[in-house]
Amino acid sequence: MMRSFFGDVNLISAGMVSIIFCLQMCLVLSAEGVHQHMKRFTGLYTGPYFDPTTNNNITTQLGTHAYLPCKIKQLGNKSVSWIRRRDSHILTVDRYTFIADERFQAFLVEATDTWTLQIKYVQARDGGQYECQVSTEPKMSHFITLNVVVPKIEILGETDIYVKSGSTVQLKCVITQSLEEPAYIFWYHDGRRVLDYDRRLKDIRSERVGSDTTVGTLIIFEARRDDSGNYTCSPSNLDSASVLLHVLNGEHPAAMQRGKNSASPIPGRWWGPLSAGLGLSSCYSRRSAAIAVVVISLISHLSLHFT
């Protein structure tokens, strides 16, 4: 019986020790929570505020992804909205998107207290101001300007290129004012992609020649008549540029142009009667003018015959 009594006492003592330990841990955790809370809201600000070191001017290239940061300290339970200034369209609220354009998305980087607006495949019209707004009373706003750089693309030379059959042709596509090198440069011949599987016939090269310039080159060896046509340089996520290639088999370019643009000439001997008839048409009816043209033409023809 004594053993039972002392056993019960030991159990009660162990239980009391466990309870006391739990209470102590709760007090410690509560104290740490209060300490962290007090530490978080100490200083000049007692609520949310924007980090003044945040970049408010972002530059990106057409076709790439843009990231607009909004670093907010001591946000607490407030919501963050992104608004496009040019049309006051609410793009996102926290992680929810309120625009049909799926290129827009907001996400939080908790380690840096940064709400970031992502715009995929940036278009030229995406440039402008964006507002990062916190749901305090009154509202707090931070403005960020997005600058979209549109690279320039051109194929060197004239828009119409004439070469002799059997010669080597080099088409150079120059991309300037580009912040990033294109992931690829595709060439198309009359709408069909040009491939360089057989390098004896064609070769495609790409080279970064400066901080903002890339040159893509299409080389055609021993050009043939069927190599003629439209050639288009199409870099990734950018506009394209085109030229017309004419491969000649002994023809002269000027002769081709004359043959294409020439019209049937009017014999010189008809200009006098025709102009006279046109003059009469302003004074008389169409029928009278037509008769006059015929008569004048006959007289002119007879006079030339007898002279």
PDB file of all heavy atoms in Angstrom, residues 47-61:
ATOM      1  N   GLY A  47       3.620  51.626 -39.254  1.00  0.00           N
ATOM      2  CA  GLY A  47       2.773  50.896 -40.195  1.00  0.00           C
ATOM      3  C   GLY A  47       3.533  50.662 -41.484  1.00  0.00           C
ATOM      4  O   GLY A  47       4.755  50.812 -41.543  1.00  0.00           O
ATOM      5  N   PRO A  48       2.838  50.303 -42.566  1.00  0.00           N
ATOM      6  CA  PRO A  48       3.508  50.029 -43.841  1.00  0.00           C
ATOM      7  C   PRO A  48       4.208  51.264 -44.405  1.00  0.00           C
ATOM      8  O   PRO A  48       3.734  52.386 -44.246  1.00  0.00           O
ATOM      9  CB  PRO A  48       2.353  49.588 -44.750  1.00  0.00           C
ATOM     10  CG  PRO A  48       1.254  49.184 -43.833  1.00  0.00           C
ATOM     11  CD  PRO A  48       1.386  50.049 -42.631  1.00  0.00           C
ATOM     12  N   TYR A  49       5.325  51.020 -45.068  1.00  0.00           N
ATOM     13  CA  TYR A  49       6.006  52.105 -45.781  1.00  0.00           C
ATOM     14  C   TYR A  49       6.827  51.502 -46.915  1.00  0.00           C
ATOM     15  O   TYR A  49       7.243  50.348 -46.864  1.00  0.00           O
ATOM     16  CB  TYR A  49       6.887  52.935 -44.843  1.00  0.00           C
ATOM     17  CG  TYR A  49       8.086  52.212 -44.283  1.00  0.00           C
ATOM     18  CD1 TYR A  49       9.341  52.306 -44.894  1.00  0.00           C
ATOM     19  CD2 TYR A  49       7.980  51.447 -43.126  1.00  0.00           C
ATOM     20  CE1 TYR A  49      10.440  51.649 -44.375  1.00  0.00           C
ATOM     21  CE2 TYR A  49       9.079  50.788 -42.598  1.00  0.00           C
ATOM     22  CZ  TYR A  49      10.307  50.892 -43.227  1.00  0.00           C
ATOM     23  OH  TYR A  49      11.397  50.235 -42.715  1.00  0.00           O
ATOM     24  N   PHE A  50       7.026  52.308 -47.968  1.00  0.00           N
ATOM     25  CA  PHE A  50       7.776  51.855 -49.136  1.00  0.00           C
ATOM     26  C   PHE A  50       9.270  52.035 -48.897  1.00  0.00           C
ATOM     27  O   PHE A  50       9.702  53.062 -48.370  1.00  0.00           O
ATOM     28  CB  PHE A  50       7.366  52.641 -50.388  1.00  0.00           C
ATOM     29  CG  PHE A  50       5.937  52.422 -50.799  1.00  0.00           C
ATOM     30  CD1 PHE A  50       4.989  53.415 -50.616  1.00  0.00           C
ATOM     31  CD2 PHE A  50       5.532  51.226 -51.366  1.00  0.00           C
ATOM     32  CE1 PHE A  50       3.673  53.224 -50.990  1.00  0.00           C
ATOM     33  CE2 PHE A  50       4.215  51.019 -51.744  1.00  0.00           C
ATOM     34  CZ  PHE A  50       3.279  52.020 -51.551  1.00  0.00           C
ATOM     35  N   ASP A  51      10.018  51.032 -49.296  1.00  0.00           N
ATOM     36  CA  ASP A  51      11.470  51.111 -49.185  1.00  0.00           C
ATOM     37  C   ASP A  51      11.974  52.161 -50.175  1.00  0.00           C
ATOM     38  O   ASP A  51      11.770  52.027 -51.386  1.00  0.00           O
ATOM     39  CB  ASP A  51      12.084  49.747 -49.504  1.00  0.00           C
ATOM     40  CG  ASP A  51      13.574  49.702 -49.209  1.00  0.00           C
ATOM     41  OD1 ASP A  51      14.232  50.756 -49.285  1.00  0.00           O
ATOM     42  OD2 ASP A  51      14.082  48.604 -48.906  1.00  0.00           O
ATOM     43  N   PRO A  52      12.624  53.215 -49.691  1.00  0.00           N
ATOM     44  CA  PRO A  52      13.058  54.293 -50.596  1.00  0.00           C
ATOM     45  C   PRO A  52      14.156  53.872 -51.568  1.00  0.00           C
ATOM     46  O   PRO A  52      14.435  54.592 -52.529  1.00  0.00           O
ATOM     47  CB  PRO A  52      13.566  55.375 -49.633  1.00  0.00           C
ATOM     48  CG  PRO A  52      13.921  54.643 -48.380  1.00  0.00           C
ATOM     49  CD  PRO A  52      12.972  53.496 -48.288  1.00  0.00           C
ATOM     50  N   THR A  53      14.765  52.720 -51.349  1.00  0.00           N
ATOM     51  CA  THR A  53      15.834  52.274 -52.252  1.00  0.00           C
ATOM     52  C   THR A  53      15.296  51.513 -53.461  1.00  0.00           C
ATOM     53  O   THR A  53      16.065  51.108 -54.333  1.00  0.00           O
ATOM     54  CB  THR A  53      16.821  51.367 -51.498  1.00  0.00           C
ATOM     55  OG1 THR A  53      16.142  50.182 -51.058  1.00  0.00           O
ATOM     56  CG2 THR A  53      17.407  52.091 -50.292  1.00  0.00           C
ATOM     57  N   THR A  54      13.977  51.318 -53.530  1.00  0.00           N
ATOM     58  CA  THR A  54      13.393  50.564 -54.643  1.00  0.00           C
ATOM     59  C   THR A  54      13.564  51.317 -55.958  1.00  0.00           C
ATOM     60  O   THR A  54      13.326  52.528 -56.023  1.00  0.00           O
ATOM     61  CB  THR A  54      11.897  50.312 -54.390  1.00  0.00           C
ATOM     62  OG1 THR A  54      11.742  49.613 -53.155  1.00  0.00           O
ATOM     63  CG2 THR A  54      11.300  49.471 -55.512  1.00  0.00           C
ATOM     64  N   ASN A  55      13.944  50.599 -56.992  1.00  0.00           N
ATOM     65  CA  ASN A  55      14.110  51.195 -58.319  1.00  0.00           C
ATOM     66  C   ASN A  55      12.741  51.550 -58.892  1.00  0.00           C
ATOM     67  O   ASN A  55      11.851  50.705 -58.964  1.00  0.00           O
ATOM     68  CB  ASN A  55      14.827  50.211 -59.248  1.00  0.00           C
ATOM     69  CG  ASN A  55      15.170  50.828 -60.593  1.00  0.00           C
ATOM     70  OD1 ASN A  55      14.977  52.019 -60.811  1.00  0.00           O
ATOM     71  ND2 ASN A  55      15.686  50.013 -61.501  1.00  0.00           N
ATOM     72  N   ASN A  56      12.566  52.801 -59.280  1.00  0.00           N
ATOM     73  CA  ASN A  56      11.270  53.228 -59.820  1.00  0.00           C
ATOM     74  C   ASN A  56      11.332  53.523 -61.315  1.00  0.00           C
ATOM     75  O   ASN A  56      10.448  54.176 -61.861  1.00  0.00           O
ATOM     76  CB  ASN A  56      10.748  54.457 -59.062  1.00  0.00           C
ATOM     77  CG  ASN A  56      11.710  55.629 -59.128  1.00  0.00           C
ATOM     78  OD1 ASN A  56      12.740  55.558 -59.800  1.00  0.00           O
ATOM     79  ND2 ASN A  56      11.383  56.696 -58.429  1.00  0.00           N
ATOM     80  N   ASN A  57      12.385  53.048 -61.971  1.00  0.00           N
ATOM     81  CA  ASN A  57      12.529  53.243 -63.411  1.00  0.00           C
ATOM     82  C   ASN A  57      13.104  51.960 -64.010  1.00  0.00           C
ATOM     83  O   ASN A  57      14.285  51.656 -63.833  1.00  0.00           O
ATOM     84  CB  ASN A  57      13.444  54.434 -63.701  1.00  0.00           C
ATOM     85  CG  ASN A  57      13.193  55.026 -65.077  1.00  0.00           C
ATOM     86  OD1 ASN A  57      13.086  54.293 -66.058  1.00  0.00           O
ATOM     87  ND2 ASN A  57      13.105  56.342 -65.156  1.00  0.00           N
ATOM     88  N   ILE A  58      12.261  51.215 -64.714  1.00  0.00           N
ATOM     89  CA  ILE A  58      12.654  49.911 -65.254  1.00  0.00           C
ATOM     90  C   ILE A  58      12.697  49.991 -66.782  1.00  0.00           C
ATOM     91  O   ILE A  58      11.768  50.506 -67.408  1.00  0.00           O
ATOM     92  CB  ILE A  58      11.666  48.810 -64.822  1.00  0.00           C
ATOM     93  CG1 ILE A  58      11.556  48.761 -63.295  1.00  0.00           C
ATOM     94  CG2 ILE A  58      12.092  47.465 -65.382  1.00  0.00           C
ATOM     95  CD1 ILE A  58      12.831  48.385 -62.587  1.00  0.00           C
ATOM     96  N   THR A  59      13.769  49.486 -67.358  1.00  0.00           N
ATOM     97  CA  THR A  59      13.910  49.451 -68.817  1.00  0.00           C
ATOM     98  C   THR A  59      14.025  48.004 -69.267  1.00  0.00           C
ATOM     99  O   THR A  59      14.824  47.237 -68.717  1.00  0.00           O
ATOM    100  CB  THR A  59      15.151  50.237 -69.273  1.00  0.00           C
ATOM    101  OG1 THR A  59      15.024  51.601 -68.852  1.00  0.00           O
ATOM    102  CG2 THR A  59      15.287  50.200 -70.784  1.00  0.00           C
ATOM    103  N   THR A  60      13.226  47.645 -70.259  1.00  0.00           N
ATOM    104  CA  THR A  60      13.259  46.282 -70.780  1.00  0.00           C
ATOM    105  C   THR A  60      13.102  46.311 -72.289  1.00  0.00           C
ATOM    106  O   THR A  60      12.747  47.347 -72.865  1.00  0.00           O
ATOM    107  CB  THR A  60      12.150  45.426 -70.139  1.00  0.00           C
ATOM    108  OG1 THR A  60      12.353  44.057 -70.449  1.00  0.00           O
ATOM    109  CG2 THR A  60      10.777  45.854 -70.646  1.00  0.00           C
ATOM    110  N   GLN A  61      13.362  45.195 -72.923  1.00  0.00           N
ATOM    111  CA  GLN A  61      13.322  45.116 -74.383  1.00  0.00           C
ATOM    112  C   GLN A  61      12.027  44.483 -74.861  1.00  0.00           C
ATOM    113  O   GLN A  61      11.455  43.618 -74.192  1.00  0.00           O
ATOM    114  CB  GLN A  61      14.511  44.292 -74.879  1.00  0.00           C
ATOM    115  CG  GLN A  61      14.597  44.155 -76.389  1.00  0.00           C
ATOM    116  CD  GLN A  61      15.855  43.439 -76.816  1.00  0.00           C
ATOM    117  OE1 GLN A  61      16.954  43.874 -76.508  1.00  0.00           O
ATOM    118  NE2 GLN A  61      15.705  42.329 -77.524  1.00  0.00           N
TER     119      GLN A  61
END
